[in-house]
């Protein structure tokens, strides 16, 4: 049982059913025109086609209803890019994430205590960039498979003393499949055996050609360990963001994705969420996967309490009744009663589909590759 058929989805996306079926096969889903798709798959498809789809869950009978409700372009405001770092094991993903985070404690937020909330924001030239802290390839693929399109851009880290390795290629394939812009960070250039040009040469086999060789891929040489080249990397991210004009409407109920969640002994269920649309406020009633709640407290990655959080802001919230799953969609509703009944219906749907396949991502999956 699903939300819309393949045919209805094609109509919604203004595509031919055959195109949608082809895309589904590419995603590993064998489908016919009358097959029903769940909301996550529909969202994923929309992302694949680059179509903005607003999800509206209507509680009439037992069905969720999806309607197209494009934002008025006048309501859209530019938002920080959301960036993931991927690459082969030991090429320096974690070191790079840590180096960027600690280098960039600037302005009014200095002095805050860094909180691990699954993502963090840095600021350069008065512009923000959001980094996802969970670069696991599996987590990335699993989130995509669940319909969560959380990133705008991928940094592929390649160690200059090691070159292109299997997981480098995997990362490139993931990024390409998701249609994400790629920036290559050639890392460990401080090492004696470092050969950045060899990395560039190798990557031409994967259609990543540097600008100086007539291509359009941005390469940045860095040393995560020595903190060299980081500012240049951040500037390139902003450049790509400027070209792509990432925007969202901050003036509506929040919608986003659960990045991580866990049961905290003192605070109960805690979820780390990336707000993607609208603005999340303390007191908002929400659904996260099959769970519901009301935002009791909200903190950012600097440990600061927030009253509200706009698009591309990662926050940690308390006030849930249960622990949602990583990659679960997050949505604010007008009141807690509605949120609760939607969560309950989603739980039933999930139990039914669990009899088929189980695509829930565990925290182990998420951390396995960091
Ligand atoms: P990950 O598996 O991709 O997350 O890689 P890590 O960040 O854990 O780094 C693997 C190893 O490479 C660690 O011992 C790091 O200290 C080292 N490393 C990371 N970046 C650099 C760098 O720029 N230069 C040097 N010399 N070593 C680095
Ligand atoms: Mg790591």
């Amino acid at each position: 049982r699903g939300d819309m058929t393949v045919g209805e989805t094609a109509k919604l996306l203004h595509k031919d059913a055959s195109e949608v079926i082809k895309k589904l096969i590419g995603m590993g889903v064998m489908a016919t025109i009358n097959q029903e798709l769940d909301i996550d798959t529909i969202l994923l498809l929309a992302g694949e086609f680059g179509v903005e789809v607003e999800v509206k869950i209507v509680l009439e009978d037992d069905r969720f209803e999806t309607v197209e409700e494009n934002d008025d372009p006048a309501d859209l405001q530019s938002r920080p890019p959301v960036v993931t770092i991927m690459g082969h094991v030991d090429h320096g993903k974690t070191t790079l994430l840590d180096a960027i985070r600690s280098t960039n404690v600037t302005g009014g937020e200095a002095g805050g205590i860094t909180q691990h909330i699954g993502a963090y924001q840095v600021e350069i030239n008065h512009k923000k960039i959001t980094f996802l802290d969970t670069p696991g390839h599996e987590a990335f693929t699993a989130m995509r498979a669940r319909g969560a399109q959380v990133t705008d851009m991928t940094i592929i880290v390649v160690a200059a003393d090691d070159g292109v390795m299997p997981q480098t290629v995997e990362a490139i394939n993931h990024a390409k499949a998701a249609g994400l812009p790629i920036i290559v960070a050639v890392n460990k250039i401080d090492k004696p055996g470092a050969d950045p040009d060899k990395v560039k040469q190798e990557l031409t086999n994967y259609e990543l050609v540097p600008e100086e060789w007539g291509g359009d891929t941005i390469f940045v040489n860095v040393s995560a360990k020595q903190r060299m080249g980081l500012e240049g990397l951040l500037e390139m991210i902003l450049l790509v963001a400027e070209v792509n004009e990432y925007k969202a409407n901050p003036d509506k109920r929040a919608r986003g994705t659960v990045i991580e969640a866990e049961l905290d002994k003192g605070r109960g269920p805690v979820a780390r969420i990336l707000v993607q649309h609208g603005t999340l406020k303390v007191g908002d009633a929400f659904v996260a996967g099959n769970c519901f709640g009301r935002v009791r407290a909200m903190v950012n990655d600097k440990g600061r309490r927030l009253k509200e959080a706009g698009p591309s802001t990662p926050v940690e919230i308390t006030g849930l009744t249960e622990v949602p799953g990583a990659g679960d969609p997050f949505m604010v509703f007008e009141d807690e009663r509605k949120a609760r009944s939607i969560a309950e219906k989603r739980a039933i749907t999930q139990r039914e589909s669990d009899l088929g396949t189980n695509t829930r991502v565990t925290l182990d999956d998420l951390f396995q590759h960091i």
Side-chain angles (χ1 to χ4, degrees), residues 332-363:
V332 168
F333 288 91
E334 64 258 42
D335 58 49
E336 202 166 330
R337 241 185 70 205
K338 183 141 193 176
R340 168 187 220 131
S341 86
I342 287 165
E344 281 165 358
K345 282 192 198 300
R346 286 189 64 106
I348 294 166
T349 312
Q350 160 114 30
R351 267 195 295 281
E352 283 170 359
S353 75
D354 273 355
L355 298 174
T357 55
N358 190 343
T359 50
R360 186 159 274 244
V361 193
T362 67
L363 290 177

Side-chain angles (χ1 to χ4, degrees), residues 93-95 135 369-370:
K93 299 179 292 293
T94 304
T95 310
H369 288 271
I370 196 168

